[in-house]
Amino acid sequence: MLFALICKDKPGSLQVRLDTRPEHVAFLEGLNGDKKLAFAGPFLDAEGKPNGSLVVVEAPDLAAAQALSAADPYARAGLFESVEIRQWNWTFNKPAAS
């Protein structure tokens, strides 16, 4: 099942995000290689700078989605003010299964 990880950055933490980004990207590439990543990308503020993340992962249950979220280098670096994890159903414009 799919889970949306809705992450809000702590105020004033852009440098933490920039410093940790290479590890975060490698983590997402690993999830993608394991076919656990549906899609991901940053939320942007009014100036177009990242201030959060939306990551949708495939996991068997909420506990597994929580574990994936906690393993993200951004989470380990303390970037996020909050993380909401919600089960999600991809209904429209879902890519064809490969």
Side-chain angles (χ1 to χ4, degrees):
M1 63 189 70
L2 293 172
F3 290 89
L5 314 178
I6 304 163
C7 310
K8 181 178 178 184
D9 292 2
K10 291 178 182 172
S13 61
L14 180 58
Q15 194 59 52
V16 173
R17 175 178 278 275
L18 296 174
D19 292 345
T20 312
R21 188 172 189 280
E23 292 174 65
H24 171 72
V25 169
F27 173 76
L28 293 179
E29 288 173 347
L31 291 180
N32 198 42
D34 292 340
K35 300 198 182 301
K36 293 181 181 177
L37 180 66
F39 59 85
F43 290 113
L44 304 175
D45 66 14
E47 297 172 357
K49 294 180 181 170
N51 66 354
S53 298
L54 173 61
V55 180
V56 177
V57 296
E58 178 75 36
D61 54 35
L62 178 59
Q66 290 169 329
L68 286 175
S69 176
D72 186 327
Y74 280 169
R76 291 195 333 262
L79 174 64
F80 300 132
E81 175 179 85
S82 65
V83 177
E84 181 181 3
I85 302 176
R86 299 187 59 184
Q87 190 172 345
W88 186 69
N89 184 27
W90 195 336
T91 305
F92 290 97
N93 295 329
K94 185 175 181 179
S98 46

